[in-house]
Amino acid sequence: MANNEVIKLLQDLENAGEKVLSIRQEIIDLDRRRNSNREAIRSIKNMAKTKDISTEKAWIAIGNTFIQIPAKNAEKRLEQDQKELDVAINKLRSRLKDRVNDLRDIEGKEELKGFG
């Protein structure tokens, strides 16, 4: 019976570790997208310093398609996307804390304190 308990414990530990790693990777992917958005917003704002952006158009990527829309609309969409990404990243970070605590429970260690 001891072998089955050890195997079950190792499976639980492996599953908990995979959940932590997948959430971390998702946070990294969303953070890269957020940084790209930040660069695009900054580029449009710099363009506004030299040109009238009410008449300018900007190329943006939506999925796998590039479209050209008025720069002001592009800036609004990017800022809205930026807010949504911030919310999604914060939700994932709170889920990550829970999953790390679950992992530490399985390992028999105390919950992490501080930084939270």
Side-chain angles (χ1 to χ4, degrees):
M1 192 63 160
N3 283 340
N4 289 339
E5 291 174 6
V6 171
I7 290 172
K8 174 77 169 120
L9 179 65
L10 289 175
Q11 286 175 340
D12 291 345
L13 188 61
E14 183 72 21
N15 289 337
E18 285 178 9
K19 287 178 185 176
V20 168
L21 291 176
S22 68
I23 292 173
R24 281 186 179 173
Q25 187 59 48
E26 198 172 343
I27 290 171
I28 290 169
D29 293 341
L30 289 176
D31 196 40
R32 284 185 179 142
R33 196 167 133 205
R34 184 173 60 171
N35 286 336
S36 295
N37 275 5
R38 189 178 300 131
E39 290 173 11
I41 291 169
R42 190 71 193 148
S43 177
I44 291 173
K45 287 185 180 191
N46 284 340
M47 181 174 65
K49 289 179 183 177
T50 59
K51 300 177 184 176
D52 179 21
I53 68 166
S54 62
T55 61
E56 291 294 318
K57 291 194 173 198
W59 288 95
I60 64 168
I62 297 178
N64 292 332
T65 308
F66 282 91
I67 60 171
Q68 192 175 21
I69 62 173
K72 196 68 177 166
N73 290 351
E75 184 180 9
K76 286 179 187 176
R77 283 182 178 233
L78 289 168
E79 287 174 351
Q80 179 184 0
D81 193 33
Q82 194 77 352
K83 289 177 186 174
E84 291 170 4
L85 286 170
D86 287 339
V87 169
I89 288 172
N90 288 335
K91 284 181 182 177
L92 283 172
R93 285 185 177 152
S94 66
R95 274 185 41 208
L96 179 63
K97 288 177 189 175
D98 294 338
R99 297 297 165 247
V100 168
N101 285 334
D102 292 346
L103 179 62
R104 292 183 67 83
D105 285 344
I106 293 170
E107 291 175 337
K109 297 180 181 177
E110 292 182 21
E111 287 187 9
L112 289 175
K113 304 278 189 234
F115 299 112

